[in-house]
Amino acid sequence: EIGATAFALFTKNQRQWVAKPLTEKSIEKFKEACEEYSFGAGQILPHDSYLINLGHPDKEPLEKSRNAFLDEMQRCEQLGIDRLNFHPGSHLNKIEESG
């Protein structure tokens, strides 16, 4: 025992766009372990994929990012987690800044 009061995790491989869906068994085991060790939703911080770029200026990569982000949020919901750490992304210097 290390006395931790919170933890962070990835809900899938952070360097891949698509992952197998969570199984009912894995969801239940996760929830049981959280209950056993007294971790509530507010003590768990999932991080989304490093590939997601919600600021991408091009249509296809933006759509891919949005789909992956939605998947991340759905995974959190399935696991009973009420937050998601993410980076909004970058315009990749493809959009001219004004002003």
Side-chain angles (χ1 to χ4, degrees), residues 3-88:
T5 59
F7 68 93
L9 76 155
F10 292 100
T11 65
K12 65 180 184 181
N13 186 319
Q14 73 275 18
R15 300 201 183 276
Q16 293 181 356
W17 285 105
V18 179
K20 292 180 187 176
L22 296 172
T23 64
E24 288 299 320
K25 184 177 179 180
S26 66
I27 293 168
E28 192 58 38
K29 287 179 82 171
F30 178 83
K31 289 179 177 181
E32 287 172 1
C34 288
E35 187 173 324
E36 179 182 347
Y37 295 101
S38 301
F39 287 109
Q43 297 165 289
I44 305 166
L45 183 59
H47 195 295
D48 75 356
S49 169
Y50 293 123
L51 301 174
I52 294 172
N53 182 356
L54 299 174
H56 206 295
D58 297 331
K59 185 178 179 178
E60 283 186 42
L62 178 58
E63 185 173 329
K64 199 173 190 179
S65 291
R66 286 176 175 168
N67 289 336
F69 186 65
L70 179 60
D71 180 57
E72 296 277 6
M73 290 190 297
Q74 290 169 335
R75 287 169 174 274
C76 290
E77 184 176 47
Q78 289 176 304
L79 295 171
I81 303 171
D82 64 359
R83 61 202 67 217
L84 175 62
N85 184 22
F86 70 98
H87 304 281

